[in-house]
Amino acid sequence: MAAPTVEQAAQPAEKTAAQADVVIETRNLSKTYRDFWGRQKVRALKALDLEVRRGEIFGLLGPNGSGKTTTIKLLLGLLFPSSGQAYVFGEEAASVKKNEKIGYLPEESYLYKFLNAEETLDFYGRLFDMPAKVRKERAESLINMVGLQWARRRQLREYSKGMTRRIGLAQALINDPNLLLLDEPTSGLDPIGTREMKDLILRLRDEGKTILVCSHLLPDVQDVCDRIAILHQGELKELGRVSDLLRVEDVTQIRARGLSDEVKEEIRNLIQQHGGVVEGIENPTATLEQLFLEIVKDSEARPGRRAPAPAEK
Amino acid sequence: MVIEHDILTFFEWLLPGAGGMGALLTFFLAVALLSVFLTLLAYLFTSVRHGPFEAFYVVAKSIATGVSDVANTSPRRVLALARLAVTEAVRRKVLIAFVVFLLILLFAGWFLDVRSDHPGRLYISFVLTATNYLVLLLALFLAAFSLPNDIKNRTIYTVVTKPVRGTEIILGRVLGFATVGTALLAMMCLVSYLFVVRGLDHGHAAIAETVEEMTDRNSQPIGVRGETTLNSHHRHTFEVDADGYGRTDAQMGHWHEVLAVAGPDGATQYEVGPPQGQLLARVPIYSRGPQPLRFRDRSGQPAEKGISVGDFWTYRDYIEGGSQARAVWTFQDITAEQFPAGLPVEMTLGIFRTHKGDIEQIVRGELEVVNPETEVRSEPISFRPTEFEIFHLDVPRDIRVVDPATQVSRDGDLFEDLVAEDGSTEIWVRCADPGQYYGMSRADLYLLAAERPFFLNFVKGYVSIWLQMVVVICFGVMFSAFLSGAVAMMATLATIVMGFFSGFIVGVFRGVLDPNAPVTEKVLGGGPIESFYRLITQKNVSLELDPSIGAVVIQTIDKGLVILMRTVVMIIPDFGRLGTANYVAYGFNIDGDLLAQHGAVALAYAVTVSLASYFFFKSREIAA
């Protein structure tokens, strides 16, 4: 079984420590879609150079049709590059061996609708050549983790979108992967599901996994990603740490509690004295997400009555 | 039913020998040629995309990956994918096919001719044919749509991003669908066996009023003769000997045993047993040697052939009745151990009448067993063959023989006097009625070596269907690896149809390109375009086209097309040859060697086609 394969032979022989930390690497990666006659239709990706390092959450952002999903498919070997190379764990994207350490959650969970949750996880476990006992344990803990204990015996055709997403995530984690590729992980999830998904992503990162998230839901990405790349029309427009990219250098934000109107006026004057420009002093609003989460939390604590909005309390 | 081709033993067939280079070598040669051709084709395509140098690297690498993938194929993953295919088929209600089959059987009675001369043959070939088409159709749909559906629904994304090899995806599918098909076939086999046995079962009663005494020349009673009741659209006459044992005549391909028993009031009653002789699996031994069947002309001189009675299709040679003309079959390796009781001879003779008289009148014949070394011959045994039916004749062990030198007859032993040292013997057949002719071919007369259980033979017939099914599944999976579902289905269907009509296509090829081929071995009317032209202009196939530029163009294109068709037919499986329904229907045992050969052919196709599927699948962009 473990005979040296061609893919292994094709690996670069020497590896520096820095290279070993690079999980995903693309060099000049391009993809042009062609029609049946070989005529060019769309240039979906233009010369992408990207490095994703071990243990980070990397966000791939961009509007619809910007090449995010194409990039993921190229990394998985679902598409063949028109030119350039993609390496995952130092192996070519087309190699099968890299899949041992990868988990992939597709855009929509493309799962067999005629299987139930247990059968689904058992099937994917078998694809990793796991022995029966390991499969069973793994399936059990994943079903508990994504909260589908109550629907484990139901065929996936009866699942709601959110449930499908959860079982999709469970199948991506069946092999305890080192690298997770998540395509729109929060799409179709309610705010609670979204929060849980984001918490889970962070937890997985803390366990030392590398995660590539691709999304157009910016708040989601902002909350979790360490670094992001922004794609537009197949070209890389921006790349860097989220904190660096979003820092506004010449604006200072002050947050305080318990200030009277007089004090606020005093601060305003003080700023103006020093030549600063006051852009606004106001009470912050909570995000709708926060509001929603609090209502649900309250409702779960005291079921049966309309929960007062947090502001009224 | 005639077995046209000699059945070689499995190893004679497989390995190089006198008959040619053997199946194994042919297979490897074909595979080698095809691989070289396909690799070149792949290289050409890749060079268009990547340029000639890069293409060389790409092709070499994909072959290397292929080798590694085959080597790393994991049984657990294959089984997981096979299980998935089975679950999918079952949950998509593939069992409906079985219900359809039951419905067909339920209403079959409306369509089957109840007055057929051979209801046994009719029933058996009906169930086998119905199952065959139904199962192939099912295999076609299952195999051709599954992979394209997986790609269309993108469920394949979650599979190929696991450490799954292309080989496993292909093998898993083939295995899964073969499992589903096997289960269905097994059920169909059982149900159709019951259908045949129950459908053919019937009984008669003896009609007491028709029973009359038979006496010999000395007016001594030798038994009784009578008629049975009319059941299942026929009645029999029967004869019972003085010991109370007898049988009916053969009607509709069967007969019954009749026993005389004492009735409650002391009178003799006649009990008619169940039908016999219609569900058989005979094991024939055919004549062999350099001249398995030879002829003597009317003056007794060796002749190249018999007489042609003017049939277009001269399958049988005829010998003239009431003359010295004879047909001689040579048998080899005949031993007393194999036939302790004597030689059971069975024959189906063609009879050609030059004067009518009573058309029901049987044309009598004589048979002699001759030792080819010593030329000692048996006294002629006269027989009255049943026409269009297999006629059975036992040559007893103790037999009167005639020495060639003295022409004196004496008591002899079949094996001591009439079988040569090397185990060869000859059977000479003569037509006794002047003016009438017997027609014979080599397979018309054989020795009945054994009778095997019919059920086993029936199962073997289903094994043949199973082999065809596996081959169809492999082709379906192959086409679906790079085509969309509907197109893959059409391509598989085309393969099946061309496979079944491969003989016809070879005939068309010879008709177009080999003007000297015998008329029985070619199809007139030209290639596809010429035939279509003849069809719309209503031109007779035996007329040459008027010489014109149009005709030349049509015929030139046709030549190219028939060469292409011939090449394709050489590659795809000859489904007609794989079918053994006729053996079962006509009551001949399907030879184990034959089945083994078919199995080897199917396996060869399964392996090569699956391998091709793998490369097709691997070279396709799944998400494109």
Side-chain angles (χ1 to χ4, degrees):
Chain A
M1 281 294 290
T5 61
V6 182
E7 296 115 42
Q8 285 172 326
Q11 279 180 50
E14 79 284 2
K15 265 188 180 175
T16 65
Q19 271 176 323
D21 260 358
V22 174
V23 176
I24 294 176
E25 187 185 4
T26 71
R27 286 186 214 142
N28 204 17
L29 189 66
S30 309
K31 178 67 191 175
T32 309
Y33 289 110
R34 290 172 189 279
D35 68 3
F36 179 77
W37 306 106
R39 287 176 305 191
Q40 183 173 319
K41 272 199 328 204
V42 191
R43 290 186 65 193
L45 200 61
K46 296 169 196 164
L48 179 68
D49 288 308
L50 213 60
E51 272 190 7
V52 177
R53 297 191 199 100
R54 188 180 304 278
E56 69 176 347
I57 303 178
F58 190 94
L60 211 50
L61 311 189
N64 291 333
S66 58
K68 305 181 300 273
T69 301
T70 300
T71 308
I72 287 206
K73 283 176 178 171
L74 284 166
L75 289 172
L76 287 165
L78 291 170
L79 289 174
F80 304 151
S82 305
S83 67
Q85 291 93 35
Y87 295 99
V88 179
F89 294 116
E91 305 204 23
E92 273 192 45
S95 95
V96 175
K97 257 198 96 228
K98 67 164 199 317
N99 292 347
E100 301 270 3
K101 297 176 273 182
I102 287 186
Y104 167 51
L105 174 68
E107 215 171 335
E108 284 166 38
S109 299
Y110 304 122
L111 301 169
Y112 292 97
K113 295 210 164 42
F114 51 83
L115 297 178
N116 64 35
E118 283 181 348
E119 289 169 334
T120 302
L121 294 183
D122 186 67
F123 168 67
Y124 289 109
R126 279 168 199 266
L127 295 188
F128 281 99
D129 225 343
M130 292 174 169
K133 195 160 161 276
V134 179
R135 284 202 306 269
K136 215 172 152 103
E137 286 168 8
R138 203 72 206 133
E140 188 65 36
S141 70
L142 283 170
I143 286 176
N144 287 333
M145 190 189 88
V146 298
L148 285 173
Q149 300 92 318
W150 53 282
R152 59 200 303 160
R153 294 274 159 77
R154 276 164 65 181
Q155 285 192 17
L156 299 197
R157 70 171 86 251
E158 299 169 10
Y159 272 29
S160 73
K161 188 147 186 225
M163 290 160 77
T164 317
R165 215 68 197 129
R166 286 156 192 264
I167 187 72
L169 182 70
Q171 72 71 34
L173 292 171
I174 187 86
N175 58 328
D176 195 15
N178 293 337
L179 169 64
L180 265 168
L181 299 154
L182 308 175
D183 200 346
E184 306 283 357
T186 55
S187 84
L189 291 180
D190 58 23
I192 302 168
T194 307
R195 190 67 252 164
E196 285 173 0
M197 177 69 86
K198 286 195 267 191
D199 290 345
L200 180 69
I201 292 173
L202 291 169
R203 208 169 75 216
L204 290 168
R205 191 255 322 263
D206 295 343
E207 287 172 17
K209 300 185 193 313
T210 314
I211 297 154
L212 179 74
V213 179
C214 131
S215 178
H216 57 256
L217 299 171
L218 305 179
D220 298 352
V221 180
Q222 187 181 348
D223 285 359
V224 297
C225 288
D226 298 320
R227 288 201 307 145
I228 54 165
I230 299 180
L231 290 174
H232 185 236
Q233 295 180 340
E235 281 179 276
L236 183 63
K237 297 292 185 187
E238 189 66 75
L239 177 72
R241 298 200 66 81
V242 176
S243 48
D244 297 344
L245 289 174
L246 297 184
R247 175 176 299 150
V248 187
E249 294 290 345
D250 57 348
V251 175
T252 311
Q253 200 171 13
I254 299 167
R255 287 165 66 118
R257 192 185 291 273
L259 293 186
S260 66
D261 287 349
E262 293 80 47
V263 179
K264 285 184 203 163
E265 193 56 37
E266 213 171 304
I267 291 171
R268 190 187 291 271
N269 291 338
L270 188 64
I271 292 169
Q272 279 166 352
Q273 267 175 32
H274 291 276
V277 178
V278 178
E279 292 193 331
I281 293 182
E282 62 251 330
N283 292 337
T285 50
T287 60
L288 190 53
E289 186 186 351
Q290 281 170 349
L291 172 69
F292 183 90
L293 289 175
E294 277 184 45
I295 290 176
V296 173
K297 209 169 108 192
D298 190 58
S299 149
E300 274 171 2
R302 283 174 294 171
R305 60 178 285 267
R306 182 173 175 270
E312 295 170 21
K313 280 199 279 192
Chain B
M1 167 70 190
V2 179
I3 298 167
E4 300 273 351
H5 303 278
D6 258 334
I7 298 168
L8 302 171
T9 65
F10 183 69
F11 288 105
E12 276 173 9
W13 170 82
L14 191 70
L15 303 172
M21 61 179 175
L24 201 61
L25 219 56
T26 316
F27 169 70
F28 281 123
L29 196 69
V31 167
L33 280 174
L34 261 178
S35 326
V36 170
F37 174 72
L38 287 177
T39 312
L40 279 177
L41 207 66
Y43 175 71
L44 275 178
F45 268 103
T46 326
S47 0
V48 171
R49 256 190 82 175
H50 299 283
F53 296 107
E54 178 77 8
F56 181 78
Y57 171 72
V58 169
V59 171
K61 189 161 171 267
S62 61
I63 290 174
T65 314
V67 172
S68 126
D69 278 358
V70 170
N72 286 315
T73 297
S74 135
R76 185 180 275 142
R77 283 195 286 264
V78 172
L79 285 180
L81 288 159
R83 264 171 58 129
L84 183 80
V86 173
T87 320
E88 182 189 3
V90 171
R91 303 220 169 135
R92 290 217 169 129
K93 316 223 162 27
V94 75
L95 288 172
I96 291 208
F98 182 61
V99 178
V100 170
F101 181 70
L102 287 184
L103 284 178
I104 292 177
L105 284 194
L106 212 58
F107 294 104
W110 292 3
F111 308 107
L112 292 178
D113 177 14
V114 288
R115 289 167 205 278
S116 155
D117 282 336
H118 289 282
R121 264 180 223 175
L122 185 72
Y123 273 52
I124 295 167
S125 54
F126 167 74
V127 290
L128 284 171
T129 319
T131 323
N132 205 339
Y133 287 129
L134 206 64
V135 165
L136 290 196
L137 210 65
L138 185 83
L140 172 75
F141 275 97
L142 272 181
F145 282 102
S146 168
L147 205 52
N149 268 344
D150 238 11
I151 292 171
K152 207 172 76 190
N153 300 335
R154 306 189 184 176
T155 38
I156 195 89
Y157 287 13
T158 49
V159 174
V160 291
T161 52
K162 306 282 182 282
V164 176
R165 268 89 188 163
T167 43
E168 290 156 352
I169 291 179
I170 299 295
L171 269 184
R173 259 159 227 275
V174 170
L175 206 65
F177 298 142
T179 310
V180 174
T182 308
L184 274 178
L185 260 182
M187 292 195 287
M188 288 177 177
C189 177
L190 210 65
V191 172
S192 52
Y193 178 74
L194 290 177
F195 174 78
V196 168
V197 171
R198 297 295 301 273
L200 294 175
D201 191 30
H202 64 274
H204 299 275
I207 302 175
E209 293 77 51
T210 60
V211 175
E212 56 186 45
E213 291 271 326
M214 293 190 296
T215 53
D216 65 4
R217 265 174 280 176
N218 307 325
S219 305
Q220 292 300 309
I222 53 168
V224 296
R225 163 191 303 149
E227 275 183 21
T228 68
T229 49
L230 181 77
N231 297 83
S232 299
H233 310 279
H234 66 280
R235 68 170 82 235
H236 299 266
T237 59
F238 64 88
E239 289 179 6
V240 177
D241 62 18
D243 299 331
Y245 174 81
R247 53 184 276 182
T248 67
D249 62 348
Q251 292 286 341
M252 290 186 162
H254 69 274
W255 51 273
H256 303 261
E257 229 172 42
V258 184
L259 291 176
V261 290
D265 52 353
T268 311
Q269 286 186 339
Y270 297 95
E271 264 183 11
V272 184
Q276 294 190 33
Q278 55 186 354
L279 300 177
L280 299 173
R282 307 180 189 90
V283 182
I285 292 180
Y286 290 99
S287 58
R288 299 184 71 165
Q291 261 194 310
L293 171 62
R294 58 181 205 271
F295 294 94
R296 292 279 167 108
D297 68 11
R298 55 184 306 173
S299 50
Q301 296 306 307
E304 185 76 4
K305 293 174 134 192
I307 296 167
S308 167
V309 292
D311 270 4
F312 185 73
W313 191 56
T314 50
Y315 174 66
R316 288 192 163 113
D317 283 289
Y318 285 78
I319 53 170
E320 192 181 340
S323 75
Q324 295 291 312
R326 280 175 172 84
V328 182
W329 283 266
T330 308
F331 294 90
Q332 291 180 341
D333 304 323
I334 304 301
T335 57
E337 287 74 42
Q338 194 174 8
F339 299 104
L343 291 182
V345 178
E346 296 206 328
M347 56 186 134
T348 341
L349 301 176
I351 297 176
F352 180 78
R353 293 181 165 83
T354 54
H355 52 87
K356 280 195 187 126
D358 180 5
I359 197 76
E360 298 270 298
Q361 180 75 46
I362 287 161
V363 177
R364 290 171 300 125
E366 280 175 2
L367 175 147
E368 295 157 284
V369 183
V370 178
N371 184 328
E373 271 176 14
T374 60
E375 292 186 8
V376 175
R377 55 203 315 125
S378 69
E379 278 190 353
I381 304 165
S382 61
F383 61 88
R384 297 153 68 83
T386 44
E387 220 168 326
F388 311 117
E389 294 263 1
I390 291 173
F391 171 75
H392 186 99
L393 180 87
D394 282 311
V395 178
R397 181 87 188 249
D398 301 317
I399 193 168
R400 297 284 294 175
V401 298
V402 183
D403 282 319
T406 56
Q407 292 295 329
V408 175
S409 76
R410 60 175 170 85
D411 282 330
D413 178 83
L414 182 65
F415 290 99
E416 274 169 28
D417 294 305
L418 301 176
V419 176
E421 291 291 314
D422 62 357
S424 63
T425 187
E426 291 177 352
I427 289 181
W428 294 43
V429 169
R430 161 174 186 266
C431 176
D433 285 343
Q436 316 288 46
Y437 291 79
Y438 274 171
M440 11 264 222
S441 69
R442 180 185 162 212
D444 278 344
L445 187 143
Y446 58 87
L447 305 179
L448 182 65
E451 284 192 12
R452 296 276 152 77
F454 172 74
F455 179 68
L456 271 183
N457 208 35
F458 195 74
V459 171
K460 283 187 205 165
Y462 268 82
V463 170
S464 290
I465 299 176
W466 184 82
L467 292 175
Q468 294 180 40
M469 178 194 80
V470 170
V471 174
V472 168
I473 287 174
C474 290
F475 270 95
V477 169
M478 182 185 80
F479 286 119
S480 70
F482 64 101
L483 297 172
S484 72
V487 183
M489 193 202 76
M490 291 309 288
T492 316
L493 193 65
T495 310
I496 299 175
V497 171
M498 279 186 94
F500 272 113
F501 287 93
S502 59
F504 173 78
I505 289 169
V506 172
V508 171
F509 172 79
R510 299 188 105 184
V512 172
L513 288 174
D514 186 4
N516 299 324
V519 75
T520 49
E521 287 171 25
K522 65 180 176 187
V523 177
L524 295 175
I529 301 179
E530 189 182 327
S531 313
F532 185 68
Y533 174 72
R534 285 176 190 276
L535 200 70
I536 52 171
T537 55
Q538 304 196 344
K539 216 174 185 68
N540 192 303
V541 289
S542 56
L543 290 177
E544 289 284 320
L545 288 187
D546 298 327
S548 68
I549 296 179
V552 172
V553 169
I554 285 177
Q555 284 171 339
T556 314
I557 298 175
D558 267 354
K559 273 181 193 165
L561 283 177
V562 293
I563 290 173
L564 187 73
M565 284 159 66
R566 177 82 181 87
T567 317
V568 172
V569 161
M570 275 173 78
I571 299 170
I572 64 177
D574 184 343
F575 284 105
R577 285 280 280 277
L578 284 182
T580 50
N582 272 347
Y583 282 83
V584 186
Y586 283 79
F588 285 96
N589 184 51
I590 299 172
D591 200 89
D593 279 315
L594 185 73
L595 212 56
Q597 288 168 26
H598 289 177
V601 169
L603 181 72
Y605 271 109
V607 170
T608 38
V609 171
S610 299
L611 211 57
S613 318
Y614 163 77
F615 280 108
F616 284 129
F617 180 73
K618 196 79 184 167
S619 59
R620 109 174 249 177
E621 269 186 311
I622 287 157

